[in-house]
Amino acid sequence: MKNRILSIVGAAVLGCTSSQPAPSPAPAPAPSANQPGRGGAPAIPNPLGAAPARGGDSAGGRGGPPGAPAGPRPYNRVITAGAKTRVGMFKVHRVGERLYFEIPAKELNKDELVVGRLARAPSGNQTPGPTGGFGEYAGDEFGERTLRWERNGNRVILRSVSFTITADTGLSVYRSVQNSNYGPVIAVLNVETYGPDSAAVVDVTRLFTTSVPELAAIRGTIDPTRSYIERAIAFPDNVEIEATQTGTPTPSGPAIPGLPAGPPGARPAQSLVAHWSIVRLPEHPMQPRRADERIGLFTVRNVDFGTNEQVALPRQYVTRWRLECSDRKDGNLCYPKKPIVYYVDPDTPDQWKPWIRRAILDWQPAFEAAGFKDAIVPGEVPAEDPDWSPEDVRHTMVRWLPSTVENSVGPNVHDPRTGEILNGSSMIFHNLIELMEYWYFTQAAQVDSRARTIPFPDSLMGKLIEFGVAHEIGHTLGLQHDQIGSSLYPIDSLRSPSWAHRMGHSPSIMDYSRMNYVAQPEDKLALDDILPRVGPWDKYSIMYGYKEIPGAKGPDGERPTLERWIRMQDTIPWYRFSGGNAFGQYGTLPEAVGDADPVKATGLGFKNIARVMTYVAGAGTRPGEDNSLLLALYDRTVGQWATEANHPATMVGGGTVHYKAGEQSGPVYVPISKARQRAAMHFLADSVFKTPSYLIRPEIAARVEAAGMITRIVNAQNRVLVTLLNDQRLNALIEGPAVAKNAADAYSLAEMIEDLQHGIWSEIWTGAPRIDAYRRSLQDSYLTQINAKLNPPAAAALQIAQLAAFGIRIQPLSEDARSELRGELVSLREAIRGAVAKSADRETRMHLQAADHRIGEILDPKR
């Protein structure tokens, strides 16, 4: 097959164990060093643009120094007798404080990847603030890009190449593709001398100790007088560099055009140790495998201009490790030539190391299903090897970070040409322990007595860490979040001990489906079976990405087999994939169990939350300690209630999704029936908007706060209200009847608002209205939400525009929907006026009169 130019996708955070949206884009490049910074920092001189002309002391310049450089000097005048040299992909020399690369001709014009990670992070980054917080810890990646070294006379050009567009090299269009894909120059380096075989020797010190935006770990001004090379090591296929960088960072802030980057004024300097892995990309690229929207693997993308289909076609290939067979044993299973090795961070607390190794081994059955034996194994960090580094891109790590962030992430580094994963990095923040503790208490204390005492025993916490780490390892193997999985199991099966033991409560550990909170104590499920684990979808997806297809020639030759595998989804629904959508469409709910029927699942979940509430006081009260744990457990349990209460709300205006392609028959999107949507609204009225008295615990509140119970309960209810009144949901309810074969069969916006108002304002239609403080506050929240819809603040439109600039397009509320809301609000005001005269309760009358006044202001804000 002829050479092709493929796509480049920067490394990004690919997954997180919290409920925050996991996948996020790679950070934008820092501003050019000769341009003002985002925070208004003054322009700084180009660190590579004003070097002296004398050959031995210069790193050259981006466009070359002002004068012509002196010619190369004798080798022994540059690489002196005192040089410390390491030989590998190319030689690296330390001569005093200078660092030289000796690049042989055979390494020129080769595709390389540089991956920058923090080896030591500034101490101030462990606390939230303008220069700290998530993403600033030892092991975190700060940059990734492709490189190519090129010779131009007595200079070496360091260029960042791109693979965003493609064409076969033998086609006439290939030259046009090349001319439209010219990579930016990172640096122009004078050749200081030549080594054997005309190997160019260049001084690269400034690449790592000055403000070179493409390589710098500090996004701001780097002081070269306080920055220096720590070490440089060469290996056969990579070079590893470490340097201390000291500088004034650009303050972090909203990365949205038009918003300030941070407060002006002087900022304190910070120092860090940055580590760069420069690795040669495989000289024989792995055969890529075609991706498909029906399969949940991460992808690399390109646009192919060399097709015979008269259009430029986007191409996507899955990201996966290269597994090649060396020998077959054990029922024809293949032993890979090079298994995937995961190292456990030696700095991990000792009691958790065995559980992390178990998390690695949890993926072995998935690879066995794909035909590989011992494809993924834990490795031992060598204790006495001074050259071994966890930041080395050849070493895939499970890192343990001293962070109060309740999260974990699992990015990978891959070959931008083919999608071959070269490195995985599972980052476990220390307070993942706390998150797991809260999850398990609020979702499982009703069935597991161990959860009623905090801290948990190590045997329980170890299992929870194993689950969290296995999830992140899944991302480093190429798997996305499978948010649809938990909606494809029959809900009654989740209460069956035999089903739970065989299938789990979700088909994927990559789903945001935590503990099985649907199962009741009387169901007597084994405790291990209420935890997530590597399941059928995970094994199926690993098979798609990794199973060999003998005899297939090229990615297109594999397509018939891949399509046959995809069609398994037609008869095995839990093999289907969907990562989610803009407003929590039914079928892709995060943090949900049993979302095949969110109404039934939430009703069962509420029963368990009522039970868990009886354990809060006991678990949260510890001798000699304050009441902070008690407050945290109480609020987290109420928060879990709000999360579950939200699930039926997503049925309104929602539908099921089953991605299809080609000749597959039937629709992809099917709306939920009117009867089920209306049933969800009735459930919300009866079980969510009616005050959940079992959440009100005055005996707990009396120990943790002087006041705040009404706010706590109504805030939880208001989360559901916000979900129901989402702009996209309201627009969908307008469109539903318009596209239905019979408009009467679709649930309309007018019907939904009428049902919602009868649920929230039910008292005004009774004979003698009496509204308590909880309901009055909820009704006030309703009017606040409607006002935001009819009279949105100017900032709302700005936010939509800002998101659009990042490719996130949010459809604003339609004028038709606003008209429906106004009409229903007029009807509500008439009912409120009628209720005032019927109420004998003074507080109720005052509340209703105030509501009447507010509605008037909402309908006519200028009056």
Side-chain angles (χ1 to χ4, degrees):
M1 185 176 71
K2 296 177 180 177
N3 294 330
R4 303 179 71 83
I5 302 175
L6 301 178
S7 70
I8 176 169
V9 176
V13 172
L14 304 181
C16 54
T17 309
S18 78
S19 60
Q20 302 172 20
S24 55
S32 174
N34 57 3
Q35 298 294 327
R38 284 191 178 182
I44 58 174
N46 188 325
L48 300 180
R54 189 168 61 85
D57 299 321
S58 169
R62 288 177 174 272
R73 295 181 292 162
Y75 189 83
N76 61 5
R77 291 277 306 277
V78 179
I79 308 303
T80 63
K84 298 179 180 179
T85 299
R86 298 293 296 264
V87 179
M89 183 173 70
F90 40 76
K91 293 179 181 178
V92 295
H93 306 281
R94 293 286 303 278
V95 182
E97 299 301 315
R98 315 301 296 178
L99 176 64
Y100 295 91
F101 284 177
E102 184 172 328
I103 307 172
K106 67 183 181 67
E107 295 299 336
L108 296 173
N109 302 304
K110 293 286 181 70
D111 292 332
E112 299 173 351
L113 193 69
V114 58
V115 179
R117 289 198 171 107
L118 299 182
R120 297 181 185 178
S123 60
N125 287 353
Q126 275 65 43
T127 57
T131 61
F134 183 86
E136 297 178 344
Y137 298 88
D140 282 350
E141 184 175 320
F142 60 80
E144 178 181 334
R145 64 179 57 242
T146 50
L147 300 178
R148 193 177 290 164
W149 305 89
E150 302 171 354
R151 270 272 305 280
N152 186 330
N154 286 333
R155 291 177 178 171
V156 169
I157 291 86
L158 177 60
R159 189 185 304 278
S160 180
V161 294
S162 175
F163 306 100
T164 55
I165 56 179
T166 177
D168 282 338
T169 56
L171 298 175
S172 58
V173 75
Y174 173 71
R175 184 179 298 276
S176 178
V177 167
Q178 271 194 317
N179 292 338
S180 300
N181 204 30
Y182 190 65
V185 172
I186 295 175
V188 177
L189 307 171
N190 296 333
V191 176
E192 309 292 343
T193 187
Y194 287 100
D197 300 322
S198 300
V201 178
V202 291
D203 185 346
V204 295
T205 311
R206 295 188 182 188
L207 292 178
F208 307 106
T209 59
T210 64
S211 299
V212 180
E214 295 86 351
L215 298 175
I218 292 178
R219 303 306 187 196
T221 304
I222 295 176
D223 182 355
T225 67
R226 292 183 286 170
S227 303
Y228 48 90
I229 303 295
E230 295 272 3
R231 65 173 185 158
I233 308 172
F235 298 100
D237 296 310
N238 59 299
V239 171
E240 305 295 315
I241 309 297
E242 277 189 5
T244 288
Q245 291 188 344
T246 301
T248 304
T250 300
S252 61
I256 297 176
L259 293 184
R267 294 182 297 275
Q270 288 186 333
S271 294
L272 52 79
V273 176
H275 183 109
W276 296 266
S277 285
I278 302 174
V279 59
R280 183 196 303 114
L281 291 175
E283 295 196 55
H284 301 286
M286 179 187 73
Q287 177 173 298
R289 176 160 292 181
R290 291 289 290 269
D292 193 285
E293 70 170 347
R294 296 166 289 178
I295 297 294
L297 293 169
F298 289 109
T299 64
V300 294
R301 298 173 174 85
N302 67 61
V303 178
D304 192 344
F305 286 86
T307 73
N308 294 322
E309 300 188 35
Q310 301 181 357
V311 294
L313 290 181
R315 301 288 192 193
Q316 294 191 66
Y317 301 105
V318 301
T319 59
R320 57 179 183 152
W321 293 84
R322 184 188 297 217
L323 289 179
E324 298 173 328
C325 190
S326 67
D327 191 15
R328 293 189 181 276
K329 295 179 181 177
D330 298 342
N332 208 32
L333 288 177
C334 171
Y335 282 79
K337 295 178 182 177
K338 185 179 179 182
I340 308 167
V341 180
Y342 282 75
Y343 295 95
V344 180
D345 188 346
D347 297 335
T348 301
D350 289 338
Q351 68 267 38
W352 310 135
K353 290 177 181 176
W355 299 100
I356 293 175
R357 291 188 180 93
R358 289 180 60 169
I360 298 166
L361 296 172
D362 284 344
W363 285 96
Q364 284 197 348
F367 281 95
E368 289 178 5
F372 290 95
K373 181 69 173 177
D374 294 339
I376 178 171
V377 295
E380 292 294 331
V381 174
E384 303 298 331
D385 184 351
D387 291 344
W388 202 97
S389 169
E391 288 76 43
D392 189 329
V393 75
R394 298 171 303 160
H395 304 145
T396 285
M397 297 290 298
V398 180
R399 299 289 294 258
W400 192 274
L401 303 178
S403 168
T404 58
V405 174
E406 294 179 2
N407 212 332
S408 55
V409 296
N412 67 53
V413 173
H414 51 263
D415 185 338
R417 305 168 303 173
T418 63
E420 178 184 351
I421 297 176
L422 306 173
N423 173 274
S425 182
S426 298
M427 317 285 281
I428 311 303
F429 299 113
H430 187 88
N431 268 21
L432 177 69
I433 292 176
E434 185 174 53
L435 179 63
M436 291 290 184
E437 206 165 50
Y438 290 138
W439 274 347
Y440 198 76
F441 175 81
T442 60
Q443 299 174 30
Q446 74 278 1
V447 295
D448 190 348
S449 59
R450 296 174 299 173
R452 301 167 198 167
T453 301
I454 293 178
F456 293 167
D458 284 356
S459 58
L460 172 56
M461 183 51 68
K463 288 290 294 183
L464 296 174
I465 291 174
E466 178 186 351
F467 140 55
V469 172
H471 174 99
E472 301 307 341
I473 287 175
H475 287 313
T476 66
L477 296 173
L479 300 184
Q480 297 188 47
H481 288 130
D482 173 41
Q483 302 292 27
I484 200 174
S486 55
S487 71
L488 299 172
Y489 275 179
I491 185 169
D492 289 338
S493 298
L494 306 185
R495 301 181 63 185
S496 164
S498 59
W499 175 281
H501 185 69
R502 186 176 74 258
M503 302 288 287
H505 63 273
S506 172
S508 174
I509 201 170
M510 306 311 295
D511 193 347
Y512 277 173
S513 187
R514 314 304 182 180
M515 319 311 156
N516 186 349
Y517 61 72
V518 166
Q520 303 294 293
E522 61 268 22
D523 298 334
K524 300 188 183 306
L525 268 63
L527 294 181
D528 281 355
D529 292 339
I530 67 173
L531 297 171
R533 62 172 180 260
V534 175
W537 182 88
D538 307 306
K539 295 176 182 178
Y540 167 77
S541 300
I542 291 293
M543 177 199 73
Y544 182 95
Y546 290 88
K547 189 175 179 65
E548 293 181 313
I549 304 179
K553 295 184 178 180
D556 288 340
E558 293 185 338
R559 294 192 72 182
T561 299
L562 297 178
E563 183 65 24
R564 188 170 66 251
W565 291 347
I566 293 173
R567 292 299 187 88
M568 296 169 69
Q569 297 175 358
D570 293 342
T571 55
I572 307 176
W574 43 83
Y575 284 174
R576 298 171 191 166
F577 167 74
S578 179
N581 62 81
F583 63 105
Q585 184 184 33
Y586 164 75
T588 57
L589 294 175
E591 308 299 330
V593 175
D595 38 326
D597 187 346
V599 168
K600 187 172 184 178
T602 300
L604 292 167
F606 281 0
K607 287 183 178 180
N608 282 333
I609 285 176
R611 295 180 176 110
V612 171
M613 269 294 170
T614 65
Y615 305 127
V616 170
T621 304
R622 295 184 292 181
E625 299 289 341
D626 63 17
N627 293 309
S628 57
L629 178 60
L630 178 63
L631 176 61
L633 290 180
Y634 187 26
D635 284 343
R636 297 278 182 144
T637 305
V638 174
Q640 176 64 26
W641 179 91
T643 296
E644 295 178 28
N646 246 318
H647 297 156
T650 63
M651 298 177 68
V652 178
T656 61
V657 58
H658 175 193
Y659 294 125
K660 298 178 180 178
E663 67 276 14
Q664 280 182 283
S665 61
V668 171
Y669 301 98
V670 178
I672 296 174
S673 70
K674 180 177 181 176
R676 292 193 69 200
Q677 292 188 56
R678 178 153 264 168
M681 289 298 298
H682 291 167
F683 175 85
L684 294 174
D686 294 338
S687 300
V688 174
F689 296 134
K690 283 186 179 177
T691 307
S693 58
Y694 53 90
L695 298 181
I696 302 171
R697 296 286 168 164
E699 71 281 8
I700 296 177
R703 292 184 63 87
V704 298
E705 61 194 11
M709 184 63 73
I710 294 175
T711 300
R712 173 181 290 106
I713 301 303
V714 174
N715 280 352
Q717 294 172 312
N718 200 49
R719 282 176 56 183
V720 183
L721 191 56
V722 169
T723 297
L724 278 173
L725 296 175
N726 174 278
D727 287 354
Q728 285 70 51
R729 192 178 313 283
L730 301 184
N731 288 341
L733 290 167
I734 288 286
E735 186 171 320
V739 300
K741 291 182 179 178
N742 183 351
D745 292 337
Y747 193 42
S748 70
L749 177 58
E751 290 171 315
M752 190 278 271
I753 295 297
E754 182 180 13
D755 288 341
L756 178 59
Q757 290 184 164
H758 275 79
I760 290 180
W761 297 85
S762 59
E763 295 91 344
I764 66 176
W765 285 282
T766 62
R770 184 182 181 88
I771 308 174
D772 67 24
Y774 293 96
R775 294 279 289 179
R776 294 197 300 268
S777 183
L778 177 61
Q779 291 163 7
D780 288 339
S781 291
Y782 175 80
L783 294 180
T784 298
Q785 291 297 322
I786 296 297
N787 182 47
K789 301 297 171 185
L790 298 181
N791 304 297
L798 176 61
Q799 184 179 36
I800 290 175
Q802 291 166 344
L803 291 172
F806 284 84
I808 304 172
R809 305 202 175 275
I810 303 296
Q811 187 66 33
L813 186 65
S814 69
E815 285 302 323
D816 197 7
R818 294 182 201 276
S819 298
E820 295 271 9
L821 292 179
R822 288 189 186 94
E824 292 298 328
L825 199 57
V826 169
S827 298
L828 176 62
R829 181 170 59 176
E830 292 174 358
I832 287 173
R833 287 173 174 174
V836 171
K838 296 186 297 181
S839 177
D841 180 67
R842 180 175 179 274
E843 289 180 324
T844 298
R845 288 199 311 273
M846 294 176 66
H847 165 67
L848 293 177
Q849 289 168 347
D852 182 4
H853 180 75
R854 282 193 71 191
I855 291 174
E857 292 182 323
I858 294 170
L859 294 173
D860 185 9
K862 298 179 181 179
R863 72 174 189 176

